[in-house]
Coordinates of all heavy atoms in Angstrom, one line a residue:
M1 N -15.7 21.0 -5.7 CA -15.2 19.8 -6.3 C -15.6 18.6 -5.4 O -15.4 18.7 -4.2 CB -13.7 19.9 -6.4 CG -13.0 18.7 -7.0 SD -11.2 18.8 -7.0 CE -11.0 19.5 -8.6
E2 N -16.0 17.5 -6.0 CA -16.4 16.3 -5.3 C -15.1 15.5 -4.8 O -14.2 15.3 -5.6 CB -17.2 15.5 -6.2 CG -17.7 14.2 -5.6 CD -18.5 13.3 -6.6 OE1 -19.0 13.9 -7.6 OE2 -18.6 12.1 -6.3
E3 N -15.1 15.1 -3.6 CA -14.1 14.3 -3.0 C -14.3 12.8 -3.4 O -15.3 12.3 -3.2 CB -14.0 14.4 -1.5 CG -13.0 13.6 -0.8 CD -11.6 14.0 -1.2 OE1 -11.3 15.2 -1.1 OE2 -10.8 13.1 -1.6
R4 N -13.3 12.2 -4.1 CA -13.4 10.8 -4.6 C -12.6 9.8 -3.8 O -12.6 8.7 -4.1 CB -13.1 10.8 -6.1 CG -14.0 11.6 -6.9 CD -13.7 11.5 -8.4 NE -12.3 11.9 -8.6 CZ -11.7 11.7 -9.8 NH1 -12.2 11.1 -10.8 NH2 -10.4 12.2 -9.9
R5 N -11.9 10.3 -2.9 CA -11.0 9.4 -2.1 C -11.8 8.6 -1.1 O -12.8 9.0 -0.6 CB -9.9 10.2 -1.4 CG -8.9 10.8 -2.4 CD -7.9 11.6 -1.6 NE -6.9 12.0 -2.5 CZ -7.0 13.1 -3.2 NH1 -8.0 13.9 -3.2 NH2 -6.0 13.5 -4.1
D6 N -11.3 7.4 -0.8 CA -12.0 6.5 0.1 C -11.8 6.9 1.6 O -12.7 6.7 2.4 CB -11.4 5.0 0.0 CG -11.8 4.4 -1.3 OD1 -12.8 4.8 -1.9 OD2 -11.1 3.5 -1.7
S7 N -10.7 7.6 1.9 CA -10.5 8.0 3.3 C -9.9 9.4 3.3 O -9.3 9.9 2.4 CB -9.5 7.0 3.9 OG -8.3 7.0 3.2
T8 N -10.2 10.1 4.4 CA -9.8 11.5 4.6 C -8.3 11.6 4.8 O -7.7 10.8 5.5 CB -10.5 12.1 5.8 OG1 -11.9 11.9 5.6 CG2 -10.2 13.6 5.9
R9 N -7.7 12.6 4.2 CA -6.2 12.8 4.3 C -6.0 13.8 5.4 O -6.7 14.8 5.5 CB -5.6 13.3 3.0 CG -5.6 12.2 1.9 CD -5.0 12.8 0.7 NE -5.7 13.9 0.2 CZ -5.3 14.7 -0.8 NH1 -4.1 14.5 -1.3 NH2 -6.0 15.7 -1.2
L10 N -4.9 13.5 6.2 CA -4.5 14.4 7.3 C -3.2 15.1 6.8 O -2.2 14.4 6.4 CB -4.2 13.6 8.5 CG -3.6 14.4 9.7 CD1 -4.6 15.4 10.2 CD2 -3.3 13.4 10.8
R11 N -3.2 16.4 6.7 CA -2.0 17.2 6.3 C -1.0 17.1 7.4 O -1.3 17.4 8.6 CB -2.4 18.6 5.9 CG -3.2 18.7 4.7 CD -3.6 20.1 4.4 NE -2.4 20.9 4.2 CZ -2.5 22.1 3.8 NH1 -3.6 22.7 3.5 NH2 -1.4 22.8 3.6
L12 N 0.2 16.8 7.0 CA 1.3 16.7 8.0 C 2.6 17.3 7.5 O 2.7 17.6 6.3 CB 1.7 15.2 8.2 CG 0.6 14.3 8.9 CD1 1.2 12.9 8.9 CD2 0.3 14.7 10.3
L13 N 3.6 17.4 8.3 CA 4.9 17.8 8.0 C 5.8 17.0 8.9 O 6.4 17.6 9.9 CB 5.1 19.3 8.1 CG 6.4 19.9 7.6 CD1 6.5 19.6 6.1 CD2 6.4 21.4 7.8
K14 N 6.0 15.7 8.7 CA 6.7 14.9 9.6 C 7.9 14.3 8.8 O 7.9 14.0 7.7 CB 5.9 13.7 10.0 CG 4.7 14.1 10.8 CD 4.9 13.9 12.3 CE 3.7 14.2 13.1 NZ 4.0 14.4 14.4
S15 N 9.0 14.1 9.6 CA 10.2 13.4 9.0 C 9.9 11.9 9.0 O 9.3 11.3 9.9 CB 11.4 13.7 9.9 OG 11.8 15.0 9.8
G16 N 10.4 11.3 7.9 CA 10.2 9.9 7.7 C 11.4 9.3 7.0 O 12.4 10.0 6.7
K17 N 11.4 7.9 6.9 CA 12.5 7.2 6.2 C 11.9 6.2 5.3 O 11.0 5.4 5.7 CB 13.4 6.5 7.2 CG 14.2 7.5 8.0 CD 15.1 6.7 8.9 CE 15.9 7.6 9.9 NZ 16.7 6.9 10.8
I18 N 12.4 6.2 4.0 CA 12.1 5.1 3.1 C 13.1 4.0 3.4 O 14.3 4.3 3.2 CB 12.1 5.6 1.7 CG1 11.0 6.6 1.5 CG2 11.9 4.4 0.7 CD1 11.0 7.3 0.1
L19 N 12.7 2.8 3.8 CA 13.6 1.8 4.2 C 13.8 0.9 3.0 O 12.9 0.3 2.4 CB 13.0 1.0 5.3 CG 12.7 1.8 6.6 CD1 12.0 0.9 7.6 CD2 13.9 2.5 7.1
L20 N 15.1 0.7 2.6 CA 15.5 -0.1 1.5 C 16.6 -1.1 2.0 O 17.8 -0.9 1.7 CB 16.1 0.8 0.4 CG 15.2 1.9 -0.1 CD1 16.0 2.8 -1.0 CD2 14.0 1.3 -0.8
G21 N 16.2 -2.0 2.8 CA 17.1 -3.0 3.4 C 18.0 -2.3 4.4 O 17.5 -1.7 5.4
K22 N 19.3 -2.3 4.2 CA 20.2 -1.6 5.2 C 20.4 -0.1 4.9 O 21.0 0.5 5.7 CB 21.6 -2.3 5.1 CG 21.5 -3.8 5.6 CD 22.9 -4.4 5.5 CE 22.8 -5.8 6.0 NZ 24.2 -6.4 6.0
V23 N 19.8 0.4 3.9 CA 19.9 1.8 3.5 C 18.5 2.4 3.7 O 17.5 1.8 3.5 CB 20.3 1.9 2.0 CG1 20.4 3.3 1.6 CG2 21.6 1.2 1.8
S24 N 18.6 3.7 4.1 CA 17.3 4.5 4.2 C 17.4 5.8 3.4 O 18.5 6.3 3.3 CB 16.9 4.7 5.6 OG 17.8 5.5 6.3
V25 N 16.3 6.3 2.9 CA 16.3 7.5 2.2 C 15.4 8.5 3.1 O 14.2 8.1 3.3 CB 15.7 7.4 0.8 CG1 15.5 8.7 0.1 CG2 16.5 6.4 0.0
P26 N 15.9 9.6 3.5 CA 15.0 10.6 4.2 C 13.9 11.1 3.4 O 14.1 11.3 2.2 CB 16.0 11.7 4.7 CG 17.2 11.6 3.7 CD 17.2 10.2 3.2
C27 N 12.8 11.3 4.0 CA 11.6 11.9 3.3 C 10.8 12.7 4.3 O 11.0 12.7 5.5 CB 10.8 10.8 2.7 SG 9.9 9.8 3.9
T28 N 9.9 13.5 3.7 CA 8.9 14.2 4.5 C 7.5 13.7 4.2 O 7.2 13.6 3.0 CB 9.0 15.7 4.2 OG1 10.3 16.2 4.4 CG2 8.0 16.5 5.0
V29 N 6.8 13.3 5.2 CA 5.4 12.9 5.0 C 4.6 14.1 5.0 O 4.4 14.9 6.0 CB 5.0 11.9 6.2 CG1 3.6 11.5 6.0 CG2 5.9 10.8 6.3
R30 N 4.0 14.4 3.8 CA 3.2 15.6 3.6 C 1.7 15.5 3.9 O 1.1 16.4 4.3 CB 3.4 16.1 2.2 CG 4.8 16.4 1.8 CD 5.4 17.5 2.6 NE 4.6 18.7 2.4 CZ 5.1 19.9 2.6 NH1 6.3 20.1 2.9 NH2 4.3 21.0 2.4
N31 N 1.2 14.3 3.6 CA -0.2 14.0 4.1 C -0.3 12.5 4.3 O 0.5 11.7 3.8 CB -1.3 14.6 3.2 CG -1.3 14.0 1.8 OD1 -1.1 12.8 1.6 ND2 -1.5 14.8 0.8
L32 N -1.3 12.1 5.0 CA -1.4 10.7 5.4 C -2.9 10.4 5.5 O -3.7 11.2 6.0 CB -0.8 10.5 6.8 CG -0.7 9.2 7.4 CD1 0.3 8.3 6.6 CD2 -0.2 9.3 8.9
S33 N -3.3 9.1 5.1 CA -4.6 8.6 5.3 C -4.5 7.2 5.7 O -3.4 6.6 5.8 CB -5.4 8.8 4.0 OG -5.0 7.9 3.0
D34 N -5.6 6.5 5.9 CA -5.6 5.1 6.2 C -5.1 4.3 5.1 O -4.5 3.3 5.3 CB -7.0 4.6 6.5 CG -7.6 5.2 7.8 OD1 -6.8 5.6 8.7 OD2 -8.8 5.2 8.0
G35 N -5.3 4.8 3.9 CA -4.8 4.0 2.7 C -3.5 4.3 2.1 O -3.0 3.5 1.3
G36 N -2.9 5.5 2.5 CA -1.6 5.8 1.9 C -1.1 7.1 2.4 O -1.5 7.7 3.4
A37 N -0.1 7.7 1.6 CA 0.6 8.9 2.0 C 1.2 9.6 0.8 O 1.4 9.0 -0.2 CB 1.7 8.6 3.0
R38 N 1.5 10.9 1.0 CA 2.2 11.6 0.0 C 3.6 12.0 0.6 O 3.6 12.5 1.7 CB 1.5 12.9 -0.4 CG 2.3 13.7 -1.5 CD 1.5 14.8 -2.1 NE 1.1 15.8 -1.1 CZ 1.6 17.0 -1.0 NH1 2.6 17.4 -1.8 NH2 1.1 17.8 -0.1
L39 N 4.6 11.6 0.0 CA 6.0 11.8 0.5 C 6.8 12.7 -0.4 O 6.6 12.7 -1.6 CB 6.7 10.4 0.5 CG 6.0 9.3 1.2 CD1 6.8 8.0 1.1 CD2 5.7 9.6 2.7
Q40 N 7.6 13.5 0.2 CA 8.5 14.4 -0.5 C 9.9 14.0 -0.3 O 10.3 13.7 0.9 CB 8.3 15.8 -0.1 CG 9.0 16.8 -1.0 CD 8.4 18.2 -0.8 OE1 7.7 18.5 0.1 NE2 8.8 19.1 -1.7
V41 N 10.7 13.8 -1.3 CA 12.1 13.4 -1.2 C 13.0 14.4 -2.1 O 12.4 15.1 -2.9 CB 12.3 11.9 -1.7 CG1 11.7 11.0 -0.8 CG2 11.8 11.8 -3.2
Q42 N 14.3 14.2 -1.9 CA 15.1 15.1 -2.7 C 15.1 14.7 -4.2 O 15.1 15.5 -5.1 CB 16.6 15.0 -2.2 CG 17.4 16.1 -2.6 CD 18.6 16.3 -1.7 OE1 19.0 15.4 -1.0 NE2 19.3 17.4 -1.8
S43 N 15.0 13.4 -4.5 CA 14.9 12.9 -5.8 C 14.2 11.5 -5.8 O 14.6 10.7 -4.9 CB 16.2 12.8 -6.5 OG 16.1 12.1 -7.7
T44 N 13.3 11.2 -6.7 CA 12.7 9.9 -6.8 C 13.5 8.9 -7.6 O 13.2 7.7 -7.7 CB 11.3 10.0 -7.3 OG1 11.3 10.6 -8.6 CG2 10.4 10.8 -6.4
F45 N 14.6 9.4 -8.3 CA 15.4 8.6 -9.2 C 16.0 7.4 -8.4 O 16.6 7.6 -7.3 CB 16.5 9.4 -9.8 CG 17.4 8.6 -10.7 CD1 16.9 8.3 -12.0 CD2 18.6 8.1 -10.3 CE1 17.7 7.6 -12.9 CE2 19.4 7.4 -11.2 CZ 18.9 7.1 -12.5
G46 N 15.7 6.2 -8.9 CA 16.3 5.0 -8.3 C 15.5 4.4 -7.2 O 15.8 3.3 -6.8
L47 N 14.4 5.0 -6.8 CA 13.6 4.4 -5.8 C 12.7 3.2 -6.4 O 12.2 3.4 -7.5 CB 12.6 5.4 -5.2 CG 13.3 6.5 -4.3 CD1 12.2 7.5 -3.8 CD2 14.0 5.9 -3.1
P48 N 12.6 2.1 -5.6 CA 11.8 1.0 -6.2 C 10.3 1.3 -6.1 O 9.9 2.2 -5.5 CB 12.2 -0.1 -5.2 CG 12.6 0.5 -4.0 CD 13.2 1.9 -4.3
A49 N 9.6 0.4 -6.7 CA 8.1 0.5 -6.8 C 7.5 0.1 -5.5 O 6.3 0.4 -5.2 CB 7.6 -0.3 -7.9
A50 N 8.2 -0.6 -4.6 CA 7.7 -1.0 -3.3 C 8.8 -0.9 -2.3 O 9.9 -1.1 -2.5 CB 7.2 -2.4 -3.4
F51 N 8.4 -0.5 -1.1 CA 9.4 -0.3 0.0 C 8.6 -0.2 1.3 O 7.4 -0.2 1.4 CB 10.2 0.9 -0.2 CG 9.5 2.2 -0.4 CD1 8.9 2.9 0.6 CD2 9.3 2.7 -1.7 CE1 8.2 4.1 0.4 CE2 8.5 3.8 -2.0 CZ 8.0 4.5 -0.9
E52 N 9.3 0.0 2.4 CA 8.7 0.2 3.7 C 8.9 1.7 4.1 O 10.0 2.2 3.9 CB 9.2 -0.7 4.8 CG 8.8 -2.1 4.6 CD 9.1 -3.0 5.9 OE1 10.2 -2.8 6.5 OE2 8.2 -3.8 6.2
L53 N 7.9 2.3 4.8 CA 8.0 3.6 5.3 C 8.0 3.6 6.8 O 7.1 3.0 7.4 CB 6.8 4.4 4.7 CG 6.6 5.8 5.3 CD1 7.8 6.8 4.9 CD2 5.3 6.4 4.9
A54 N 8.9 4.4 7.4 CA 8.9 4.5 8.8 C 8.9 6.0 9.2 O 9.5 6.8 8.5 CB 10.2 4.0 9.4
Y55 N 8.0 6.4 10.2 CA 7.9 7.7 10.6 C 7.5 7.7 12.1 O 6.8 6.8 12.5 CB 7.0 8.6 9.8 CG 5.6 8.1 9.8 CD1 4.7 8.7 10.7 CD2 5.1 7.1 9.0 CE1 3.3 8.3 10.7 CE2 3.8 6.7 9.1 CZ 2.9 7.3 9.9 OH 1.6 6.8 10.0
D56 N 7.9 8.7 12.8 CA 7.7 8.8 14.3 C 8.0 7.5 15.0 O 8.9 6.8 14.7 CB 6.2 9.2 14.5 CG 6.0 10.7 14.2 OD1 7.0 11.5 14.1 OD2 4.8 11.1 14.0
D57 N 7.1 7.1 15.9 CA 7.3 5.8 16.6 C 6.4 4.7 16.0 O 6.2 3.7 16.6 CB 6.9 6.0 18.1 CG 7.9 7.0 18.8 OD1 9.0 7.1 18.3 OD2 7.5 7.6 19.8
H58 N 5.8 4.9 14.8 CA 5.0 3.9 14.2 C 5.8 2.8 13.6 O 7.0 3.1 13.2 CB 4.2 4.6 13.1 CG 3.2 5.6 13.5 ND1 3.5 6.9 13.7 CD2 1.9 5.5 13.9 CE1 2.5 7.6 14.1 NE2 1.5 6.7 14.2
P59 N 5.3 1.6 13.7 CA 6.1 0.5 13.0 C 6.1 0.7 11.5 O 5.2 1.4 11.0 CB 5.3 -0.7 13.4 CG 4.0 -0.3 13.8 CD 4.1 1.1 14.3
P60 N 7.2 0.3 10.8 CA 7.3 0.4 9.4 C 6.0 -0.1 8.7 O 5.5 -1.2 9.1 CB 8.5 -0.3 9.0 CG 9.3 -0.4 10.2 CD 8.3 -0.5 11.4
R61 N 5.6 0.5 7.6 CA 4.5 0.1 6.8 C 4.9 -0.2 5.4 O 5.7 0.6 4.8 CB 3.4 1.2 6.8 CG 2.8 1.4 8.2 CD 1.6 2.1 8.2 NE 0.5 1.4 7.5 CZ -0.8 1.9 7.5 NH1 -1.1 3.0 8.0 NH2 -1.7 1.2 6.9
A62 N 4.5 -1.3 4.8 CA 4.8 -1.6 3.4 C 4.0 -0.7 2.5 O 2.8 -0.4 2.8 CB 4.4 -3.1 3.2
C63 N 4.7 -0.2 1.5 CA 4.1 0.8 0.6 C 4.3 0.3 -0.9 O 5.3 -0.3 -1.2 CB 4.7 2.1 0.7 SG 4.5 2.9 2.3
K64 N 3.4 0.7 -1.7 CA 3.5 0.6 -3.2 C 3.3 1.9 -3.8 O 2.4 2.7 -3.5 CB 2.4 -0.4 -3.7 CG 2.5 -0.6 -5.2 CD 1.4 -1.6 -5.6 CE 0.2 -0.9 -6.1 NZ -0.8 -1.8 -6.7
V65 N 4.2 2.3 -4.7 CA 4.2 3.6 -5.3 C 3.0 3.6 -6.4 O 3.0 2.7 -7.2 CB 5.5 4.0 -6.0 CG1 5.4 5.3 -6.8 CG2 6.6 4.0 -5.0
I66 N 2.1 4.6 -6.3 CA 1.1 4.7 -7.3 C 1.2 5.9 -8.2 O 0.6 5.9 -9.2 CB -0.3 4.7 -6.6 CG1 -0.5 5.8 -5.6 CG2 -0.6 3.3 -5.9 CD1 -1.9 6.0 -5.0
W67 N 2.0 6.8 -7.8 CA 2.3 8.0 -8.6 C 3.6 8.7 -8.2 O 3.9 8.6 -7.0 CB 1.1 9.0 -8.5 CG 1.2 10.2 -9.3 CD1 0.7 10.4 -10.5 CD2 1.8 11.4 -8.9 NE1 1.0 11.7 -10.9 CE2 1.7 12.3 -9.9 CE3 2.5 11.9 -7.7 CZ2 2.2 13.6 -9.9 CZ3 3.0 13.2 -7.7 CH2 2.8 14.0 -8.7
L68 N 4.3 9.2 -9.1 CA 5.5 10.0 -8.7 C 5.9 11.0 -9.7 O 5.5 10.9 -10.9 CB 6.7 9.1 -8.4 CG 7.3 8.2 -9.5 CD1 8.2 8.9 -10.4 CD2 8.0 7.0 -8.8
D69 N 6.6 12.0 -9.3 CA 7.3 13.0 -10.2 C 8.7 13.1 -9.7 O 9.2 12.2 -9.0 CB 6.5 14.3 -10.3 CG 6.5 15.1 -9.1 OD1 7.3 14.8 -8.1 OD2 5.8 16.1 -9.0
S70 N 9.4 14.1 -10.0 CA 10.8 14.2 -9.6 C 11.1 14.2 -8.1 O 12.2 13.8 -7.7 CB 11.5 15.4 -10.4 OG 10.9 16.6 -9.9
T71 N 10.2 14.8 -7.3 CA 10.4 14.9 -5.9 C 9.3 14.4 -5.0 O 9.4 14.5 -3.8 CB 10.8 16.4 -5.5 OG1 9.7 17.2 -5.9 CG2 12.0 16.9 -6.2
T72 N 8.2 14.0 -5.6 CA 7.0 13.6 -4.8 C 6.6 12.2 -5.2 O 6.6 11.8 -6.3 CB 5.9 14.6 -5.1 OG1 6.3 15.9 -4.8 CG2 4.6 14.2 -4.2
L73 N 6.2 11.4 -4.1 CA 5.7 10.1 -4.3 C 4.3 10.0 -3.7 O 4.1 10.5 -2.6 CB 6.5 9.0 -3.6 CG 8.0 8.9 -4.0 CD1 8.8 8.9 -2.8 CD2 8.1 7.5 -4.7
R74 N 3.4 9.3 -4.3 CA 2.1 9.0 -3.6 C 2.1 7.5 -3.5 O 2.3 6.8 -4.5 CB 1.0 9.5 -4.4 CG 0.9 11.0 -4.4 CD -0.4 11.6 -4.7 NE -0.3 13.1 -4.5 CZ -0.6 14.0 -5.4 NH1 -1.1 13.6 -6.6 NH2 -0.5 15.2 -5.2
V75 N 2.0 7.0 -2.3 CA 2.0 5.6 -2.0 C 0.7 5.0 -1.4 O 0.0 5.8 -0.8 CB 3.2 5.2 -1.1 CG1 4.6 5.6 -1.7 CG2 3.1 5.9 0.3
Q76 N 0.5 3.8 -1.7 CA -0.6 3.1 -1.1 C -0.1 2.1 -0.1 O 0.9 1.4 -0.4 CB -1.4 2.3 -2.2 CG -2.6 1.6 -1.8 CD -3.2 0.9 -3.0 OE1 -2.6 0.4 -3.9 NE2 -4.5 0.9 -3.0
F77 N -0.7 2.0 1.1 CA -0.2 1.1 2.1 C -0.7 -0.3 1.7 O -1.9 -0.5 1.2 CB -0.8 1.5 3.5 CG -0.2 2.8 4.0 CD1 -1.0 3.7 4.6 CD2 1.2 3.0 3.9 CE1 -0.5 4.9 5.1 CE2 1.7 4.2 4.3 CZ 0.9 5.1 4.9
Q78 N 0.1 -1.3 1.9 CA -0.2 -2.7 1.6 C -0.7 -3.4 2.8 O -0.4 -3.2 3.9 CB 1.0 -3.4 1.0 CG 1.5 -2.7 -0.2 CD 0.6 -2.8 -1.4 OE1 0.4 -3.9 -1.9 NE2 0.1 -1.7 -1.8

């Protein structure tokens, strides 16, 4: 199968947080690339189309949701 992505994805299993102002939603960062990430959450219900993602000691990154199902989000970094 031909790879069509712009950047290589790194498979991970890291704890992260979706930052929503004063509230945060725990998530798992399943894979990461220069352009985005795949996040796993308990439920995507009620999550906005844009938010900040924090994980490890990295500064928070602005994200835009490009795909989701009931427990998985694929985001693009802004």
Side-chain angles (χ1 to χ4, degrees):
M1 178 184 270
E2 180 183 339
E3 180 64 49
R4 297 182 301 167
R5 291 179 175 84
D6 292 336
S7 55
T8 305
R9 292 183 296 168
L10 175 64
R11 291 177 60 171
L12 295 175
L13 190 58
K14 299 261 183 197
S15 294
K17 291 181 185 175
I18 295 172
L19 304 177
L20 307 171
K22 294 182 180 182
V23 177
S24 66
V25 176
C27 68
T28 302
V29 181
R30 301 298 301 207
N31 67 40
L32 185 67
S33 71
D34 291 338
R38 181 168 61 105
L39 310 175
Q40 192 164 8
V41 293
Q42 202 160 14
S43 172
T44 59
F45 181 77
L47 290 178
F51 53 81
E52 288 192 322
L53 170 66
Y55 65 97
D56 288 342
D57 294 334
H58 296 86
R61 296 195 65 178
C63 299
K64 178 176 100 174
V65 176
I66 57 172
W67 181 90
L68 62 83
D69 67 13
S70 62
T71 60
T72 304
L73 300 129
R74 293 199 175 129
V75 298
Q76 181 178 39
F77 295 136
Q78 301 293 295

